[in-house]
Amino acid sequence: MGAISAQPLPNSVCLETPQLSSKSAPRSECPSSRQRQLSSSDNYAYRGQSHSIPSYRHPLQPPKASVPVRHFTGEGKNLEELWQQFFADPSQWWDYRFDKTNVSHPDFKHKHTKEALWIDKRSNPDWVQAELTTLEVGVVQQSTFSWNTAIKQHVRIGHDEKAIHILKQMQEEGLVPDNFTFLWILRACASSGTLEEGRHVHSMVSQQGWESDVFVGSSLVDMYAKCGSIEDAYEAFNKIAIHNSVSWTSLITGYVKCGQAKKGLELYRQMHLEMVKPDSVTYGAVLNACANCLALEDGRLVHAQIIESRCKLDDFVGSCLLDMYVKCGSIEEAWNAFNSMHTRNVVCWTTMIAGYVKCGFGEKALELYHKMQWQCINPDTVTFLAALHACASIAALEEGRCIHSKIIESGRESHSLIENCLVDMYIKCGSIHEAWKVFRNIRKHNVACWTTMIIGYVKHGLGEKALELYKQMLVEQIQPDSGTFLYVLHACASAAALEEGRHIHAHIIHSGCELDTSIEACIVDMYIKCGSMEEASEVFNKIVQPDVVCWTAMILGFVRCGQGQKALQLYRQMLLERVEPDSVTFVAVLTACASISALQEGRRIHVQIIQSGCIMNDFVGSCLVEMYVKCGSIEDAGRVFNNLGSRNVVCWTVMIMGFAKCGFGDTAVQLYHQMQMEKVEPDAVTFVAILNACACISALEEGRCIHAQMLRSGTEHDNFVLGCLIDMYAKSGSIADACRVFNNMKSRDEVAYNAMIGAFSMHGQGKEATRLFEQMCQECLKVNNITFVSVLTACSHACLVAEGLYYFESMNAVYDISATMEHYACFVDLLGRAGQLNEAEIMIERMPYVSIPVWRTLLGACRIYGNVKMGERIAEQLLDMEPENASGYVLLSNIYAAAAGQWDRRDTAQRSSLERQVHKERCCTRFDVSDHFHMSDLTILSH
C-alpha cells in the first residue's frame, strides 16, 4: 500500500474527477490546486491531557456561525449504508477533497443519487477511518495525529496486522511515531502475539527515549508478557523511571499468565512495600495468582486489604475473589464473599455454581442456578456448562432435561462445548439413548464429541457398540486422539475383541501415539484381557522405560492366567529396575502369593508394604488379610486385621470367610457380631461368609437371625446368597426351611437348583433330588459338575442304583461333562451301598485317576458286607500307596471285628497300626463356599 497523499488514486480505486461547466457547477466546486487541510474535532486523551485539533476555515470563508451547514446523507439511508456503498465501488463517487474551497461542502458525492459523505463527520462509524487508509483514500493531512487515528481504529476492530503495516508506511513517509503511536502498536503486537515485531517496535521506542515513560513502558511489559517472553517483560519493567500501579499490574499479570503465580505474589508484596496503591485490576491479577498456586492464606490477606482499602468489590474483583476461594477449596468463604457483594453479574453466579460442582455439592449448585434465574440473571454458555456438570455429578436426569430445554430456548444448543457437555450429562445420568440422540443431531462432530460418546458406551458395558462408533468415526475422517484410543482399547478388552484390538494397535503406531505411557499400558492390558499374554509381553518388552502402571498390568495378567510364579518373578525384576510399586501393584502380587500359597514371599511383601506406607490403604490391607488366610496362616491374618487403622466391610468379610474355611465357625460368628457392634453394614459377600460359618457348626438359630437381617438389608433377592442360605438350613438339619426359601424365590438359576438338590441329597431324599434335577433340565438351565455330584450322592444315599448308573453315563454322553474324582467316588459309594462290590472294584480300576479316598470308600463297603478277602486286598493296596496312613489299618480291623471269629486278626491289625505310629487323618466337611465363590473376587465386588 502506498503512502497517503493528495495525488490521484491508483487505477484500481481511482475516483473520477467531475467534468463540470462554469454554468452548471457551483463556484465552490470549481477545480483548484489548493489542498484542503482536513479538520478534525476528535479529542484524544493521553497522560491526563486532552488535545483538540481546530477545524480548518478558508480565509475568504465567512464565520461558521453565519453559514448553515447541511450534511445531506441521502434518503432512507444511514451513514453505515452509504459508506458500505462507497467502499463497494468508489468509482461511482465524485472526489472533491482536493478542490473544494468551502469546508461545508462534501468530500464525496455520488454521481447519480447525489448522496454526500464527509470524512471528518463525527457520526461516522469507527471502521471508516481505517478502511479509508487501507484503500488510500483516507485523510489528506499527513500529520502524526491522522496516522495515529487510523492505527487506533484498526486496533480497535482487531486488524492488528493492518495497524502494524500502517506504522511501516508512516515511517516510509518520513513521519516520526510518538508515544501515542507506540501505545497502540504495542497493543496490536500483544493481541496478535507477534513477538519479533514487538521487539522491533521496542528498538524504535529505545531510540526515541520512551522506554522510561510509565505508559509506554507498561505497554512494553504487557506486550512481552502476552507474547510469552516474561524475561523481556521484567527487563522492560526495570527501565521504567517511576513505577505506578499500571506497570506493576502488567508485570504481575504477565507472571501469572506464564504459570509463575508465586513470582507474581512476590512482586505484589514488593509493590506493597514500595507504597504503590493497587487498583481493582491489580487485585484481580493477585487473586488469580493465589488461585493458581492454591495460596489460600495469601488470598485471605488480599481480601482483607481489599476491604481495608475500601476498593469497590465490583463484578470483576468479586468474580476473581470467588474463583480464588473455590480453587483453594474453601467453598464456605466463597459463599460468604458472594453474599457480601452488592452487585453480582452472571460471571459471579457462574463461578459459585461451578465451585459447588467442583466441591461435590451438585444439589447446591442446581439450587443456586435456579435462584440466579429468579433474580432475572440470564445464564450464559459457561453457566449452562456448569449446570450440566452439576446434573451429571448427581445423576439428576430430569433436571438435566429441563436445562437442555432452556439451552434450546436460548439458541445455544449448537455450541460445540454445550453439545459435548449434553452428551456427557446424559451418559452419566444413565440415559445412553438420549445421549445418542443429542450426538446424532450434532451438525459437525469433533473428536471430543466422538470420544465422549465412545466413553459412554464403554462405561455402560457396550464395548461392541463403542467399536462400531470408532469405525464410523474413521469413515468420517476424524482423527482419534490419545483419549479416544484409550477407551477403544478398553472396549476391545471388555468385549475380548482381539482382532479389533490388533487393528487399533496398528492405527496407534501409525498415528504416533504409541509413546504415550498410558496408551502403552492400555495396549498391554487389552492383550492380557483378550487372552494373548504373548503379544502383551511383546509390547511390554518394547517399552523403553515402563512405568509402574505397565509393570502392574503385566503382573495382573500373569495372575489372571494362573501363572502366579511368573507374576512374582516379574515383580522382583521390577524392583531390580528401581520402579517403586504402588498400592495396585501390592494387591496384584499379594493375589499372586495367595494363588500359589507362597507364604514366605507374602511375608516379605508385607514388610515392603509397611516400608512404603501403603499398609494404611484399606484395599491393600484386605488383600493382605486374604493372602494370609489363603496361605493357611489364620494367626498372621488376625494380627494384620487387628492392626488395621480402619476396617471396611471387605476386611471383615475376608476374616469371617477365613475362619469359616479353616473350620472355626464359632469364631467367625463372634467376629460377625463384633463387626455389627462397630456399625459396619454387611454386604452380600459377608452374608455368604457367615452363612457358610453357620453351616459348618450347624447353628440353626444363628442362621435364622442372619436370614432376618438379609430381609431387612434387601439382599434376599441375590440368588447366590439364597443358595448359601438353602445350604445352611440343610446342613443345620432344617430341610423344611430350605424348601421354603427355594419355593419363595422369584427366579431360580443354576445356583439355587444345585443348592436345593444338594440339600435333598444330604437328607437322603433321593427321589426329590432326581425330580428337581429333571425339572432343572426342563427349564433349560445349565447343569455342571456340582449338579451331578449332588445327584449321584442323592442316588447313593437312597440306593437308587439304576438312576445313578443312568446319570453317571449321561454325564459325558448327553451333557458333555467329564467325570472327576468326586463323581467316581459318588458312584463307587452307590455301588458299595448296594452291595455290588465287584462292580465297584472294576469301576475303580477303570478310573483315569489313582484315588486313595475312592479305595477307602470301597473298603468301608467291604466292612458293611463283611467281604474280608476283598477288604484285605484293598487294605494292602492302601498300605502300599500310603504306608504311614492309619485309615487302612482301622478299616481292616473293623472288617475283622464285623466278621465272626476274626478277633485275633483285628488285634494284629491294631498292633501294626501302633508300631508304625500312624495317625488318623482329621475329617472335615465336604461343602466349601470356595467351590462357588473365589475369595480374590472380594476386592472386585467391593468396588
Side-chain angles (χ1 to χ4, degrees):
M1 183 173 68
I4 299 177
S5 65
Q7 301 301 320
L9 296 171
N11 295 333
S12 59
V13 292
C14 183
L15 303 177
E16 297 181 14
T17 304
Q19 303 295 327
L20 300 175
S21 64
S22 58
K23 294 181 180 180
S24 60
R27 184 175 179 179
S28 61
E29 298 180 2
C30 290
S32 172
S33 60
R34 186 186 301 272
Q35 294 183 357
R36 183 175 78 87
Q37 299 295 319
L38 281 179
S39 64
S40 175
S41 57
D42 291 344
N43 295 333
Y44 70 97
Y46 179 68
R47 300 182 70 174
Q49 299 180 1
S50 178
H51 303 270
S52 178
I53 298 180
S55 301
Y56 169 82
R57 185 170 66 85
H58 193 273
L60 299 178
Q61 179 185 345
K64 189 173 183 179
S66 63
V67 180
V69 178
R70 183 173 67 90
H71 287 181
F72 176 75
T73 61
E75 297 179 1
K77 292 185 179 179
N78 56 26
L79 280 173
E80 186 92 23
E81 293 174 339
L82 283 176
W83 280 112
Q84 289 175 356
Q85 184 180 351
F86 170 78
F87 287 116
D89 189 4
S91 64
Q92 297 300 314
W93 295 73
W94 299 112
D95 183 2
Y96 294 121
R97 293 175 300 151
F98 309 120
D99 302 311
K100 68 179 184 179
T101 57
N102 193 329
V103 72
S104 64
H105 292 166
D107 295 310
F108 305 107
K109 183 181 285 188
H110 199 276
K111 293 180 180 180
H112 305 293
T113 63
K114 307 303 179 185
E115 293 166 328
L117 291 170
W118 283 262
I119 292 176
D120 60 346
K121 190 174 180 65
R122 277 180 174 269
S123 55
N124 279 339
D126 291 339
W127 55 270
V128 169
Q129 199 65 258
E131 290 296 328
L132 285 169
T133 306
T134 304
L135 291 176
E136 302 183 305
V137 294
V139 183
V140 177
Q141 178 187 5
Q142 298 187 21
S143 66
T144 303
F145 171 75
S146 302
W147 290 90
N148 288 346
T149 302
I151 291 171
K152 178 182 71 173
Q153 297 296 340
H154 274 300
V155 174
R156 280 182 172 176
I157 63 178
H159 295 169
D160 300 319
E161 294 181 358
K162 289 184 178 180
I164 295 171
H165 187 72
I166 291 173
L167 173 65
K168 295 176 181 178
Q169 188 177 0
M170 178 181 177
Q171 291 177 294
E172 290 174 0
E173 293 291 326
L175 294 177
V176 179
D178 58 10
N179 52 358
F180 188 84
T181 313
F182 291 132
L183 286 174
W184 286 100
I185 289 295
L186 288 171
R187 183 180 295 184
C189 294
S191 60
S192 62
T194 53
L195 180 59
E196 292 304 320
E197 195 66 44
R199 284 177 173 152
H200 177 66
V201 175
H202 187 183
S203 65
M204 296 167 57
V205 170
S206 301
Q207 290 173 3
Q208 298 189 29
W210 287 104
E211 271 187 314
S212 60
D213 180 80
V214 64
F215 294 99
V216 177
S218 298
S219 296
L220 279 169
V221 173
D222 183 66
M223 181 273 296
Y224 278 125
K226 288 181 177 177
C227 290
S229 181
I230 195 64
E231 296 82 6
D232 290 330
Y234 189 75
E235 186 178 345
F237 175 80
N238 289 331
K239 292 181 180 179
I240 300 174
I242 300 175
H243 298 125
N244 63 0
S245 62
V246 177
S247 57
W248 279 103
T249 303
S250 298
L251 188 62
I252 292 170
T253 305
Y255 272 104
V256 174
K257 287 184 178 179
C258 291
Q260 301 184 41
K262 290 184 179 180
K263 180 65 176 179
L265 288 176
E266 291 177 8
L267 288 170
Y268 173 71
R269 297 187 192 102
Q270 187 178 346
M271 171 186 176
H272 196 70
L273 290 173
E274 294 188 11
M275 308 297 289
V276 179
K277 185 178 180 181
D279 56 14
S280 60
V281 183
T282 314
Y283 285 129
V286 177
L287 288 170
N288 287 335
C290 295
N292 291 350
C293 62
L294 305 178
L296 180 58
E297 291 301 324
D298 288 323
R300 287 169 177 161
L301 180 62
V302 174
H303 188 186
Q305 292 171 354
I306 292 171
I307 297 172
E308 185 180 346
S309 66
R310 297 182 180 180
C311 177
K312 184 180 178 182
L313 199 62
D314 57 10
D315 294 335
F316 172 69
V317 178
S319 60
C320 291
L321 185 63
L322 297 178
D323 183 66
M324 181 275 297
Y325 278 128
V326 166
K327 288 183 177 177
C328 291
S330 182
I331 193 67
E332 293 181 2
E333 289 178 283
W335 175 248
N336 293 334
F338 180 77
N339 286 329
S340 66
M341 295 174 64
H342 298 293
T343 60
R344 294 171 290 201
N345 63 0
V346 65
V347 178
C348 298
W349 284 93
T350 303
T351 303
M352 279 307 302
I353 293 169
Y356 276 116
V357 175
K358 183 180 179 182
C359 294
F361 301 106
E363 293 180 357
K364 183 68 177 178
L366 291 177
E367 180 184 333
L368 207 62
Y369 167 76
H370 291 301
K371 188 176 180 180
M372 165 188 173
Q373 294 180 84
W374 294 337
Q375 297 193 11
C376 300
I377 305 292
N378 291 323
D380 59 9
T381 301
V382 184
T383 315
F384 284 129
L385 290 172
L388 289 173
H389 283 305
C391 295
S393 66
I394 59 174
L397 181 58
E398 290 301 323
E399 194 69 36
R401 286 169 178 160
C402 294
I403 295 171
H404 189 182
S405 300
K406 190 75 176 178
I407 290 170
I408 294 173
E409 290 176 11
S410 68
R412 290 184 172 89
E413 72 276 9
S414 60
H415 193 287
S416 60
L417 290 176
I418 291 286
E419 291 171 334
N420 193 33
C421 202
L422 278 169
V423 174
D424 181 69
M425 182 272 295
Y426 280 124
I427 287 171
K428 290 180 178 176
C429 290
S431 181
I432 193 72
H433 174 72
E434 287 176 283
W436 169 252
K437 194 174 179 181
V438 174
F439 177 81
R440 185 181 56 192
N441 292 330
I442 296 175
R443 294 180 181 178
K444 188 177 181 180
H445 297 91
N446 56 18
V447 65
C449 289
W450 286 97
T451 304
T452 303
M453 198 64 217
I454 289 171
I455 291 172
Y457 280 125
V458 172
K459 288 186 175 180
H460 281 76
L462 303 171
E464 294 179 357
K465 189 68 177 177
L467 292 175
E468 290 178 10
L469 205 63
Y470 169 73
K471 293 174 185 176
Q472 185 180 346
M473 175 183 179
L474 297 181
V475 169
E476 296 192 15
Q477 297 183 345
I478 303 295
Q479 180 61 34
D481 59 10
S482 57
T484 317
F485 285 129
L486 280 175
Y487 278 92
V488 292
L489 286 170
H490 282 304
C492 293
S494 64
L498 180 58
E499 287 301 322
E500 192 67 38
R502 286 168 178 158
H503 291 306
I504 293 168
H505 185 188
H507 191 182
I508 291 170
I509 295 172
H510 181 72
S511 66
C513 293
E514 191 184 21
L515 298 178
D516 190 324
T517 54
S518 58
I519 289 182
E520 289 175 331
C522 207
I523 292 172
V524 171
D525 182 69
M526 180 272 295
Y527 280 125
I528 289 170
K529 290 181 178 177
C530 289
S532 179
M533 281 303 297
E534 296 79 8
E535 288 175 286
S537 300
E538 185 180 347
V539 174
F540 178 78
N541 292 331
K542 289 180 180 178
I543 301 174
V544 180
Q545 288 185 333
D547 60 2
V548 65
V549 178
C550 292
W551 284 98
T552 304
M554 282 299 297
I555 292 170
L556 279 171
F558 282 119
V559 172
R560 286 171 183 160
C561 294
Q563 302 180 44
Q565 196 62 48
K566 282 190 176 181
L568 293 177
Q569 290 175 2
L570 199 64
Y571 173 70
R572 297 186 199 104
Q573 184 181 346
M574 169 185 167
L575 297 180
L576 289 174
E577 297 194 13
R578 300 185 181 280
V579 178
E580 291 294 328
D582 59 9
S583 58
V584 185
T585 316
F586 285 128
V587 168
V589 292
L590 287 173
T591 307
C593 293
S595 66
I596 60 174
S597 299
L599 181 59
Q600 294 305 319
E601 187 73 27
R603 284 173 175 159
R604 283 193 290 269
I605 293 169
H606 186 181
V607 174
Q608 295 168 4
I609 291 171
I610 295 172
Q611 292 173 348
S612 68
C614 290
I615 191 65
M616 302 305 294
N617 186 302
D618 293 341
F619 198 29
V620 175
S622 60
C623 286
L624 193 57
V625 172
E626 179 188 352
M627 183 273 295
Y628 279 126
V629 167
K630 296 188 83 172
C631 289
S633 180
I634 196 69
E635 297 82 4
D636 286 329
R639 277 193 292 270
V640 173
F641 178 78
N642 292 328
N643 292 329
L644 290 176
S646 61
R647 297 177 290 202
N648 58 11
V649 65
V650 178
C651 295
W652 285 98
T653 303
V654 170
M655 279 305 299
I656 292 170
M657 188 171 288
F659 279 118
K661 187 176 182 180
C662 294
F664 303 108
D666 292 328
T667 308
V669 172
Q670 292 174 9
L671 202 62
Y672 176 74
H673 291 310
Q674 184 182 347
M675 168 186 168
Q676 291 183 305
M677 290 176 62
E678 295 191 13
K679 307 296 184 183
V680 178
E681 291 294 327
D683 58 10
V685 186
T686 314
F687 284 123
V688 169
I690 191 62
L691 287 172
N692 186 46
C694 292
C696 290
I697 59 175
S698 299
L700 181 60
E701 292 304 320
E702 189 70 38
R704 283 173 175 161
C705 293
I706 293 167
H707 188 185
Q709 293 173 3
M710 287 170 51
L711 295 175
R712 290 193 295 269
S713 66
T715 56
E716 76 277 5
H717 300 300
D718 190 317
N719 280 1
F720 184 74
V721 178
L722 291 176
C724 291
L725 185 63
I726 292 170
D727 182 72
M728 183 276 298
Y729 277 130
K731 288 184 177 178
S732 299
S734 180
I735 190 65
D737 285 328
C739 290
R740 192 177 299 111
V741 172
F742 180 79
N743 292 330
N744 290 334
M745 291 177 67
K746 294 182 179 179
S747 62
R748 304 182 186 99
D749 59 3
E750 295 87 349
V751 176
Y753 271 99
N754 287 341
M756 198 63 224
I757 293 171
F760 282 131
S761 172
M762 198 180 303
H763 285 262
Q765 300 184 19
K767 290 291 185 181
E768 292 296 326
T770 56
R771 181 190 60 79
L772 204 60
F773 175 79
E774 297 298 335
Q775 181 181 335
M776 179 180 181
C777 294
Q778 288 175 5
E779 293 186 11
C780 299
L781 295 175
K782 186 178 180 180
V783 297
N784 54 24
N785 292 335
I786 298 173
T787 313
F788 278 104
V789 169
S790 299
V791 171
L792 291 173
T793 303
C795 293
S796 175
H797 291 173
C799 289
L800 302 175
V801 180
E803 289 85 348
L805 179 60
Y806 167 75
Y807 291 127
F808 186 82
E809 291 177 349
S810 64
M811 278 180 58
N812 196 342
V814 179
Y815 300 99
D816 195 24
I817 297 175
S818 299
T820 64
M821 186 182 66
E822 280 190 289
H823 298 117
Y824 281 107
C826 292
F827 190 64
V828 169
D829 183 60
L830 170 61
L831 296 175
R833 286 172 184 264
Q836 300 180 16
L837 303 182
N838 293 326
E839 290 80 356
E841 186 176 11
I842 293 170
M843 177 62 68
I844 296 175
E845 291 174 350
R846 291 178 180 176
M847 281 174 51
Y849 315 98
V850 177
S851 175
I852 295 174
V854 177
W855 283 110
R856 288 179 195 154
T857 301
L858 182 56
L859 188 58
C862 292
R863 181 188 64 81
I864 295 173
Y865 287 97
N867 193 331
V868 178
K869 290 183 179 180
M870 182 179 289
E872 289 177 340
R873 187 170 62 252
I874 295 172
E876 288 297 329
Q877 292 183 20
L878 287 173
L879 292 174
D880 290 339
M881 288 186 285
E882 282 188 322
E884 301 299 325
N885 198 313
S887 60
Y889 291 107
V890 173
L891 289 173
L892 185 59
S893 66
N894 291 336
I895 293 173
Y896 290 143
Q902 301 289 322
W903 294 102
D904 53 343
R905 293 189 178 184
R906 188 197 70 164
D907 295 338
T908 303
Q910 289 180 347
R911 282 195 301 271
S912 300
S913 175
L914 292 173
E915 288 173 1
R916 291 174 180 263
Q917 296 180 356
V918 294
H919 302 280
K920 183 177 179 181
E921 285 187 336
R922 182 179 177 180
C923 182
C924 61
T925 181
R926 183 188 63 80
F927 184 81
D928 191 347
V929 73
S930 62
D931 293 338
H932 303 278
F933 190 87
H934 199 269
M935 288 182 64
S936 62
D937 295 332
L938 283 171
T939 52
I940 299 172
L941 290 175
S942 66
H943 290 270

